[in-house]
Amino acid sequence: MGGNILEQRLKFYVNIIQDSGMSILKNPVYFFLTILFDFLFVFIFAMIYSYIAVFILNKIISLFQLLGTETGGLTNILTPEDATKLSVIANNPEFVELFGSIMKDVFIMMLAFLICFIIFQVFAWRFSIKAATKNNKLTPIEPEYELTLLQYWKNFALQSLPFLILTFGWSFFCLRSYILSKLSPAVLLPAPLWKYFLVLGLIIIWYFGNISFCFLKRKSFKNFVNSFIIGIKKFPQIIPSIIFLGVLALVIELVLRIPLLVQSVTGFFIIGVILVFSYLVFARIVIFKTVQLVFPKHKKPRMRARIKSVKKKS
């Protein structure tokens, strides 16, 4: 009995993976359109990031120079007898101006990421879902759940916002804790551990975030709430697909670490772009199909519609 259940579960996930691959092969236009918008997102944000990062780096250098001048050396900040200098520096007008300017630049960078994410990733998810559902028997979409681009864009923006805010907040908290653990002898956790906490937190945040993008209800709040309900309730059914995608990501990383490939800058770039962006499309489709199959929400409204039609005839 147990063997049959395990075999059925394995077949269930194999079907999802095979069908995801077939969805890409059957819909090459949606596949390449998704890659295009993923590439535009990365390229445009990288340009903005590199531009703003230069200003931030110069201001950080000036900030450390100021700290060194005021304390007679940065190592003095760590000694108890000179710790009072920190409060003096904190009230220094030049320090306040530099620190405020850095925070302003960081905020602009975060805002740029948010805007780029909402503009480009909505198309990446939209076309991935189109590829996953067009002429597909495993995960079809009922006509009443076919959202217009504007409706999906509105939902995507509203659903993305809380997850992006959580991402920025958690990243800032971990970065701040990491810096403090480096500077202060009395720390809550060793500095290297904060890197792992950062990654773990981001995985949890975007586990629910990606699930929310798979719901196609017209009300974004319901999609947002369902992402947590289904993400927790159906965790045992969803996690095998996530583990598979994690293993696949490790395989891609190992391929990109092949010495012969690393030595060729052009070859590394071309193969890296093909593998990474193809993986992103495939991963979205796998997640979408998994969520749709473990939570077949499209059946209920259809049954209600049939009941209503029977009542009218009677």
Side-chain angles (χ1 to χ4, degrees):
M1 186 69 177
N4 291 334
I5 294 174
L6 184 62
E7 186 178 345
Q8 288 174 2
R9 284 183 176 271
L10 182 61
K11 186 177 180 181
F12 173 77
Y13 295 108
V14 169
N15 285 340
I16 290 175
I17 293 165
Q18 288 179 342
D19 196 70
S20 297
M22 290 304 298
S23 295
I24 290 174
L25 294 175
K26 289 179 180 178
N27 299 285
V29 174
Y30 289 134
F31 172 70
F32 287 113
L33 282 172
T34 304
I35 288 179
L36 173 63
F37 282 99
D38 272 332
F39 181 80
L40 286 173
F41 167 68
V42 173
F43 178 76
I44 292 176
F45 178 70
M47 295 289 289
I48 296 171
Y49 173 84
S50 59
Y51 178 77
I52 299 175
V54 172
F55 292 98
I56 293 177
L57 183 61
N58 290 333
K59 290 169 186 176
I60 289 174
I61 293 171
S62 299
L63 191 66
F64 273 90
Q65 287 175 345
L66 177 63
L67 287 171
T69 303
E70 292 293 327
T71 61
L74 290 175
T75 54
N76 290 333
I77 298 175
L78 304 180
T79 60
E81 58 271 17
D82 291 328
T84 53
K85 290 183 179 180
L86 286 174
S87 60
V88 176
I89 295 170
N91 295 320
N92 185 312
E94 189 177 354
F95 175 86
V96 172
E97 183 180 354
L98 274 172
F99 188 78
S101 183
I102 291 171
M103 290 298 101
K104 181 182 176 182
D105 289 341
V106 170
F107 176 77
I108 292 171
M109 187 181 292
M110 288 163 49
L111 186 63
F113 180 87
L114 189 149
I115 293 171
C116 288
F117 186 90
I118 291 174
I119 289 176
F120 296 109
Q121 286 301 291
V122 66
F123 287 103
W125 267 99
R126 175 78 170 179
F127 291 132
S128 295
I129 291 174
K130 287 283 188 183
T133 57
K134 186 178 180 181
N135 300 324
N136 190 277
K137 294 180 180 180
L138 188 65
T139 52
I141 293 183
E142 299 292 340
E144 60 265 32
Y145 285 94
E146 187 68 38
L147 300 179
T148 64
L149 177 59
L150 187 60
Q151 288 172 328
Y152 187 77
W153 202 339
K154 181 206 71 174
N155 285 0
F156 188 89
L158 293 174
Q159 290 165 218
S160 300
L161 196 58
F163 293 110
L164 288 169
I165 291 172
L166 282 172
T167 298
F168 297 146
W170 179 247
S171 301
F172 178 79
F173 172 75
C174 290
L175 179 61
R176 178 179 176 275
S177 301
Y178 174 79
I179 293 171
L180 289 176
S181 63
K182 281 284 190 180
L183 295 176
S184 175
V187 294
L188 180 64
L189 289 171
L193 285 181
W194 285 109
K195 298 177 183 178
Y196 297 107
F197 272 99
L198 172 63
V199 174
L200 179 62
L202 293 179
I203 290 173
I204 294 171
I205 290 168
W206 287 104
Y207 165 76
F208 293 107
N210 286 319
I211 289 175
S212 76
F213 301 146
C214 298
F215 291 120
L216 303 175
K217 288 183 178 291
R218 297 183 185 276
K219 293 184 179 180
S220 58
F221 182 73
K222 284 187 177 180
N223 296 333
F224 177 75
V225 172
N226 279 337
S227 68
F228 290 96
I229 295 173
I230 302 306
I232 296 171
K233 188 177 179 181
K234 299 290 185 179
F235 179 79
Q237 290 96 326
I238 296 174
I239 197 62
S241 292
I242 303 297
I243 292 173
F244 167 76
L245 292 174
V247 172
L248 184 58
L250 289 176
V251 171
I252 291 173
E253 184 180 357
L254 290 175
V255 170
L256 294 177
R257 287 176 180 268
I258 295 173
L260 186 64
L261 183 61
V262 174
Q263 291 173 3
S264 173
V265 178
T266 305
F268 178 81
F269 177 78
I270 293 172
I271 295 175
V273 167
I274 292 172
L275 289 178
V276 171
F277 286 104
S278 298
Y279 168 81
L280 291 175
V281 182
F282 180 71
R284 287 193 193 96
I285 294 174
V286 169
I287 293 171
F288 176 80
K289 287 182 180 292
T290 303
V291 172
Q292 291 290 305
L293 291 173
V294 301
F295 183 55
K297 58 187 177 302
H298 301 304
K299 292 181 181 179
K300 292 181 181 179
R302 198 174 179 182
M303 290 297 293
R304 289 173 186 171
R306 287 177 180 176
I307 291 169
K308 287 180 180 179
S309 62
V310 170
K311 286 181 178 179
K312 287 180 179 178
K313 288 180 181 179
S314 61

